[in-house]
Amino acid sequence: MKDDIQRLQIGILGGGQLGKMLLMPAHQWSLSVSVLDPSPDCPAAKMASQFVEGDFDDYHDVYFFGKGLDLLTIEIEAVDVEALVDLQSRGVIVHPAPSIIALVQDKYRQRQLLYERGFPVPRFALMEIGASSLHHFIQHKNLSLPCIAKYPRGGYDGRGVFVLSQPDQIQDLPLLLEEKIDIHMEISVLVGRNPSGQIAVYDPVEMVFDADSHMLDYLIAPARISGVLRQQLIECATEIAHSIGLEGLMAIEFFVDKRGVIYVNELAPRPHNSGHHTIEGAVCSQFEQHWRMVLDLPPGSTALRSPYVATLNIVGPADFEGAPHYRGWKELLAQPDIHVHIYGKQQSRPNRKMAHITMLGASRQEVEKKITYIRAQFHIEKAHIK
Ligand code: ADP
């Protein structure tokens, strides 16, 4: 890689809120970063050094976007991997590696690799076209009903995941079937690794999901877990990062069951929704950390700036689709240690990620009280545009 980092031509596939937040620290260092996204209205478009309209999952669009660049990274996993492989053979540096992106695009391959390398995963099996009856298959694979069924490709935010209890629920194969873990807590560990093999790990984060939408509702760091479990999660995340040869930042989602046993759920080799609290809540944010890792710079400190940090996810309300108006956010600014991020999406849709709000506090109760206050105070409404 060129020594003169400010002269590198860098690209990001995807221009959503993660792309926008990646551009914020990139500006601090005057990096030159282009963005490829199908929508010229996307959150990152205005902040990019250059915005290119195109599909990140189309071979030609990705190839033409990448061929003049020195370094390419992602803010979304649904990208065309074949183009990345070809760009890499032309000398473009791609972090994370195309093989890692391909791995996480397929939930079955991901499970299989983690299992083969000895990482703890739920029991699983791939039910393919032509498989025997569900009951026979389940028995044969040492699973039982109800189990969790997942489409191996294309799902996100819980879409494509369901509880399977009857054969007639199966409409499409292949399906990844998994033992249903008796989940006590869902945890995310953010880990960064640079090409020199240096690691940065953040404190495990407790994720709380919305019961209806299955989307992340809020997160609190540090998670309410024992020191032993915390250490176990940090070690597991570090080992996974080394094992797959990660270059960049990655979120690893874990389940902890009622007995305190941990399971790896999935890997997201990019900045992640579960790391937004690090912008104000940690010494080095997940976004700056990602740049440090892909540029082979020293890892930034992952220490929290406050005993407790929480982030509330704000999604589009269920009752309208259209231009958003944000009500109540100015009042929040009067509160110390509350930080509002509005992504700038032109259209709100039910459950679309529109904003997030981070709060710092001396105790868990304090940040929980702030979450309740923000829920009452901040709303997205339909804008009345003349
Ligand atoms: P996505 O990639 O769409 O987010 P996940 O695989 O993370 O899908 O699953 C979504 C949610 O479904 C998880 O956050 C968890 O609550 C639940 N879930 C997934 N797998 C299991 C499992 N094996 N046992 C119990 N719950 C699960």
Side-chain angles (χ1 to χ4, degrees), residues 131-199:
S132 49
S133 76
L134 176 65
H135 288 284
H136 186 261
F137 181 81
I138 289 275
Q139 238 177 16
H140 181 65
K141 298 290 181 184
N142 196 19
L143 292 166
S144 58
L145 294 178
C147 67
I148 300 287
K150 302 180 178 183
Y151 290 106
R153 301 183 74 88
Y156 65 97
D157 287 340
R159 278 164 252 202
V161 176
F162 59 98
V163 179
L164 175 66
S165 35
Q166 321 246 34
D168 62 7
Q169 286 175 274
I170 297 181
Q171 287 173 351
D172 247 331
L173 290 175
L175 260 187
L176 169 62
L177 304 187
E178 297 186 350
E179 84 179 283
K180 187 170 182 296
I181 304 297
D182 198 6
I183 297 175
H184 164 60
M185 195 183 282
E186 297 200 36
I187 294 219
S188 167
V189 181
L190 298 162
V191 56
R193 182 179 178 275
N194 66 16
S196 302
Q198 291 174 297
I199 289 274

Side-chain angles (χ1 to χ4, degrees), residues 39 302 344:
S39 165
T302 58

